Amino acid sequence: MTMQEPQTSAGNLSSLPDAGSLFNINIKFRYRLDRIFQVATIVAISIAILVLVVLLVDVLIDGLPRLNWSFFTNFPSRRPADAGILSSLVGTVWVMGIVALVSFPLGVGAGIFLEEFSEDNWITQAIEININNLAGVPSIIYGLLGLQVFVRIMEPITGGRSILSGALTLALLILPIIIVSTREALRSVPDSLRLAGFALGATRWEVVLNHVMPLAFPGILTGTILALSRAIGETAPLIMIGALTFISFLPEGPQSPFTVLPIQVFNWVSRPQAEFHVNSAAAIIVLMAVLLLMNSTAIFLRNKFQQRL
Amino acid sequence: MTASTPSESDLWRPNRAVSKRTEFVVKIVFGAFAMVSVATTVGIVLTLIFETVAFFQVVPLWRFLTETRWTPLFSSAQFGIMVLISATVMVSFIAIVVALPLGLLSAIFLSEYASPKMRSVLKPVLELLAGVPSVVFGYFALLFVSPLLRTATPAWLQSIIPSWDQFIPGLQGFNALSAGIVLGISITPLVASLSEDALFAVPRSLRDGAYALGSTKRETIIAVVLPAALSGIVSALILAISRAIGETMIVTLAAGQNPRLGLNPLVPVMAMTAFIVQVSLGDTPAGSIAYQTIFAVGMTLFIITLALNIFSFWFVRRFREKYE
C-alpha cells in the first residue's frame, strides 16, 4: 500500500513537481483510514463490555425484586412464588467442598512433580501434551466419563447419581487448570532460592516444601480459586451425572442425590412460565455474586503477590 | 569428639536416610497424581469407545453417516448424525462470525492503542465476561436476545417497507441465530485474550521498522503485526471454534430441541450437545440404545474437537515465528 513499483514511481516522478509530494501521496486518506480503524477497535471492545453490562442489568432488573430471605430458605416448589434455592445452595457448597478437597492436592502435587521432580523425558512430555489436550475437551465429555465411571462402575463407592460422583467429575475437569497454574507459580520462583537450599544440604523436597512453596503459594491459590469458580458455573457435566432438578431435602452425605445452583437456574429457565424465569434471574444474581466474590479474591491475591516478589 | 557429644553430632548430621526416604515417597505420590491426568484421558477414550462399539453393533456406521433424520428415541429410529452436526456447525459458524471481529479488534485495541492504565482496567472486565457461566448466557440468549430480535419494527419503518413487521421476519422463539450470537459473545474474551498475547509478543523492532518505512499505525498493524502474530491468532481461533462446538447450555436453552437437517438459522434446531442433555434429563437405563447413542454422539464431538486441537498444534508448530 505504501510502496510502489519502482518503475511506476519513476514514471510518476516526471509528472510530479517534487519528491515531497510523492511521499505525501494520499497521506490524508491514509490517516483517515487509520482513524476509522482505531474507532473500529474501540467499538469492538465497547460492544463486548456493553453486552456484559446489558446482561448484568437485565438479570438484576428481572431478579432483584424476587430476592428475599425466604428465597434462600425455601425448597423448590411447583408454585414459583414459594420456590427457593436452599437445596441447590447447600448442594453447591457440598460439591465445591469435595471438588476443592480432591482437586487441590492432586493438582498441586502433579504440578510440583512436573515442574520440580521430573526429568525432561518422554513420559513428562506425554503428560504435558495430554494436559494441553484435556484443556480442549468439551465439559460435556467429562460428563459422559463421570456417568460411566463414577455413576455406573463405581456405584458401590459413590452411591450412583450423588454429590461424590458430581464432585469427582468436576475435580477431573478443573485439574488441568490447577496443574498449569501451579507450574506457572513455581516457575516464577527464582532458581537462586533453590540453589541456596541445596547448598545448605537440603533435599529437593525440603527445598520445595520450605523455600519454594511459601513464595509460590499465593499464585497457586489464585489459580485454584479461578479453577473453582469455573467449576461452580459448570452445568452440562452435572446434568449428565444426573444432578436432580427438584430436590426438597438437604443432602445427608457425599452419597446423597443433589442439585446445584446452575442446574436450578437451567431448570427454571427451561420452564414456560414467566414466574419461574424471574426465579432463575434471582438465582443467577446469587450465582454471579459468589463468582464475583471469588474472582475479586483471586485478583486481590494476585496483586498482593505481584507486589511482594 | 563424636563419642563425647553424640547429641551435638546429631544436630550437625541430620538423618539423611529419612530425608531421602521422604523425598522418594513424595516423588512417587506426586508422580501418581500427575498420572491422574493421563488416566482421565484414557478413561474418556475407553468410555467412549466401549459404548460406541456397542452402538455400532446395533446401528451400522453408514446409517449413522447417511440417514437424513435424527429420531433415535422413536420406534422407527433413524440415526442421521448429520442432522445434529449441521446444527452444531451452523451455530458455531454464527458464533465465530461474531467473535472473530469483536475479539480480534478488541485484542488490537488492548495491545496497540490502549494506555497501560486503560489496559489494566479493561482486561479484568474481559476476564469477568469470560467467567460468566454458560447457563447465564443461555438465560440471556433465550430471554433477552431472542425477544429483542423478534420485536416488531417501529411504525415508520413499516411504512417504508410494509411487509417488514419484525426485525428478523420468521425468527422463532427458539432459534440458532440468537444462540449463535450469544455463543459468539461468550467466546469473544477467549479470542481477545489469546490474540492479545500473540500480538503482545511481536517485538517492537518490527513495528519500528514499519514506521521507519513510512507506514501509518494501521498499516503497521495490518501488514506487519498481524502477520507476525498469525500463528497465535489462528490457534486462538481454532480453540474458540472447538469451544463453540462443545458448548452446551446456550445451544440447549436457546437453539431448541428440534432435530432438523439444514442451515436455516431462524428455526429451532438441535445441536449435538443439546441432544446429549435431552437424553440425560430423562432416566436412561445403562445398556439401552438411547444410552449408547449419547456416547456415540459424544464420540463424534470428541473426534471433531480433537481433530481441531491437533490441527491447531500442527499449525502453530509449522508457522510460529520466533523472535529474539
Side-chain angles (χ1 to χ4, degrees):
Chain A
M1 179 143 218
T2 55
M3 284 189 285
Q4 295 176 328
E5 290 291 315
Q7 280 182 336
T8 337
S9 52
N12 280 348
L13 211 55
S14 55
S15 63
L16 289 165
D18 59 313
S21 60
L22 183 69
F23 286 104
N24 282 330
I25 286 173
N26 272 339
I27 195 75
K28 246 188 184 164
F29 175 69
R30 283 160 61 198
Y31 274 133
R32 197 176 308 142
L33 273 186
D34 259 39
R35 211 160 308 130
I36 292 170
F37 184 71
Q38 185 177 2
V39 169
T41 64
I42 295 173
V43 166
I45 197 161
S46 311
I47 289 176
I49 289 165
L50 187 72
V51 171
L52 178 68
V53 172
V54 169
L55 187 153
L56 293 177
V57 168
D58 176 50
V59 167
L60 281 175
I61 290 174
D62 289 352
L64 213 49
R66 180 67 186 81
L67 271 186
N68 52 32
W69 186 243
S70 64
F71 186 69
F72 288 92
T73 56
N74 282 6
F75 287 107
S77 163
R78 289 188 199 289
R79 279 178 304 171
D82 293 340
I85 55 170
L86 182 63
S87 49
S88 54
L89 206 54
V90 174
T92 296
V93 172
W94 264 101
V95 170
M96 292 324 293
I98 298 178
V99 168
L101 277 180
V102 173
S103 64
F104 184 71
L106 277 183
V108 173
I112 290 176
F113 178 82
L114 291 173
E115 195 61 34
E116 303 280 343
F117 288 112
S118 70
E119 286 132 39
D120 191 25
N121 54 23
W122 67 271
I123 299 180
T124 321
Q125 282 170 9
I127 294 177
E128 228 155 89
I129 293 172
N130 178 57
I131 288 173
N132 287 338
N133 262 328
L134 277 181
V137 173
S139 64
I140 197 161
I141 302 280
Y142 281 91
L144 290 170
L145 171 77
L147 177 62
Q148 186 77 334
V149 173
F150 299 129
V151 176
R152 304 275 178 216
I153 298 174
M154 288 169 59
E155 189 172 2
I157 306 168
T158 57
R161 301 176 180 275
S162 65
I163 290 177
L164 196 56
S165 297
L168 290 176
T169 306
L170 289 186
L172 290 186
L173 176 64
I174 63 169
L175 207 54
I177 310 176
I178 299 183
I179 294 176
V180 168
S181 58
T182 300
R183 296 188 66 179
E184 269 166 21
L186 291 173
R187 219 171 292 152
S188 73
V189 176
D191 255 349
S192 54
L193 229 100
R194 294 185 182 82
L195 296 177
F198 294 140
L200 291 172
T203 62
R204 194 168 266 275
W205 168 238
E206 286 164 343
V207 167
V208 169
L209 184 67
N210 300 321
H211 297 203
V212 178
M213 273 305 268
L215 278 175
F217 196 70
I220 294 174
L221 207 59
T222 308
T224 308
I225 293 173
L226 289 179
L228 285 177
S229 75
R230 161 102 194 271
I232 279 196
E234 275 298 341
T235 322
L238 292 181
I239 291 179
M240 310 282 329
I241 295 301
L244 297 174
T245 46
F246 192 94
I247 287 219
S248 51
F249 55 87
L250 291 184
E252 287 154 5
Q255 295 186 331
S256 290
F258 71 110
T259 187
V260 290
L261 269 177
I263 304 254
Q264 187 66 69
V265 171
F266 169 68
N267 176 250
W268 279 336
V269 176
S270 45
R271 291 185 191 212
Q273 302 96 321
E275 293 90 344
F276 279 116
H277 296 166
V278 173
N279 280 1
S280 66
I284 286 175
I285 294 175
V286 177
L287 185 63
M288 289 297 287
V290 175
L291 283 176
L292 215 59
L293 193 73
M294 290 178 75
N295 279 327
S296 44
T297 311
I299 290 172
F300 170 77
L301 274 172
R302 183 163 60 194
N303 288 347
K304 206 176 165 190
F305 177 51
Q306 278 172 347
Q307 280 161 14
R308 226 167 31 129
L309 253 190
Chain B
M1 187 172 83
T2 46
S4 58
T5 55
S7 56
E8 200 174 305
S9 133
D10 281 352
L11 271 178
W12 283 104
R13 238 187 299 167
N15 195 337
R16 298 286 293 171
V18 171
S19 301
K20 290 212 161 149
R21 211 173 304 134
T22 314
E23 165 141 335
F24 181 74
V25 170
V26 165
K27 204 173 163 179
I28 295 292
V29 170
F30 284 5
F33 287 0
M35 291 310 283
V36 170
S37 75
V38 177
T40 307
T41 308
V42 173
I44 287 174
V45 171
L46 284 184
T47 301
L48 291 175
I49 286 179
F50 191 68
E51 294 293 334
T52 307
V53 164
F55 172 81
F56 281 120
Q57 276 166 357
V58 182
V59 181
L61 182 63
W62 62 269
R63 277 185 65 194
F64 192 63
L65 294 177
T66 58
E67 280 179 344
T68 53
R69 277 158 52 80
W70 179 260
T71 53
L73 307 180
F74 294 178
S75 50
S76 61
Q78 288 205 41
F79 298 90
I81 187 69
M82 284 306 160
V83 175
L84 302 187
I85 291 181
S86 74
T88 301
V89 166
M90 174 172 54
V91 176
S92 306
F93 179 76
I94 297 169
I96 292 302
V97 167
V98 172
L100 182 61
L102 280 187
L104 194 54
L105 287 174
S106 300
I108 291 172
F109 178 77
L110 285 174
S111 145
E112 309 293 322
Y113 289 109
S115 64
K117 200 177 167 190
M118 218 168 180
R119 199 164 168 266
S120 68
V121 174
L122 289 178
K123 271 207 104 173
V125 174
L126 274 184
E127 279 170 22
L128 205 64
L129 188 61
V132 173
S134 59
V135 70
V136 178
F137 278 117
Y139 172 95
F140 189 63
L142 180 65
L143 299 177
F144 186 85
V145 174
S146 277
L148 188 73
L149 295 180
R150 296 183 70 202
T151 40
T153 47
W156 62 272
L157 269 176
Q158 281 190 49
S159 64
I160 301 171
I161 312 164
S163 62
W164 196 13
D165 53 344
Q166 206 182 72
F167 266 121
I168 298 172
L171 192 73
Q172 301 195 16
F174 293 103
N175 61 78
L177 184 64
S178 319
I181 291 172
V182 174
L183 182 55
I185 296 286
S186 80
I187 57 175
T188 294
L190 181 80
V191 177
S193 122
L194 292 178
S195 307
E196 205 233 337
D197 289 343
L199 294 175
F200 208 70
V202 175
R204 218 195 134 71
S205 56
L206 255 81
R207 296 186 179 86
D208 290 344
Y211 290 139
L213 287 173
S215 308
T216 64
K217 188 154 190 169
R218 179 193 62 89
E219 287 158 358
T220 305
I221 293 169
I222 289 180
V224 176
V225 180
L226 282 183
L230 188 69
S231 72
I233 291 170
V234 168
S235 81
L237 187 66
I238 293 171
L239 194 64
I241 294 174
S242 131
R243 181 72 65 82
I245 287 175
E247 205 288 328
T248 309
M249 299 320 295
I250 301 172
V251 293
T252 305
L253 279 168
Q257 308 271 329
N258 198 344
R260 185 196 313 248
L261 189 64
L263 297 174
N264 180 2
L266 305 180
V267 296
V269 292
M270 182 188 256
M272 288 189 276
T273 49
F275 169 75
I276 300 179
V277 167
Q278 187 202 32
V279 172
S280 313
L281 284 174
D283 193 28
T284 44
S288 66
I289 186 72
Y291 187 78
Q292 288 160 357
T293 306
I294 59 175
F295 283 87
V297 174
M299 185 67 149
T300 314
L301 189 63
F302 183 73
I303 289 174
I304 293 175
T305 51
L306 188 69
L308 284 170
N309 280 351
I310 291 171
F311 175 75
S312 153
F313 192 69
W314 171 83
F315 189 91
V316 170
R317 282 213 145 179
R318 175 75 180 71
F319 291 99
R320 179 162 46 199
E321 308 270 349
K322 283 228 165 175
Y323 304 109
E324 286 296 308

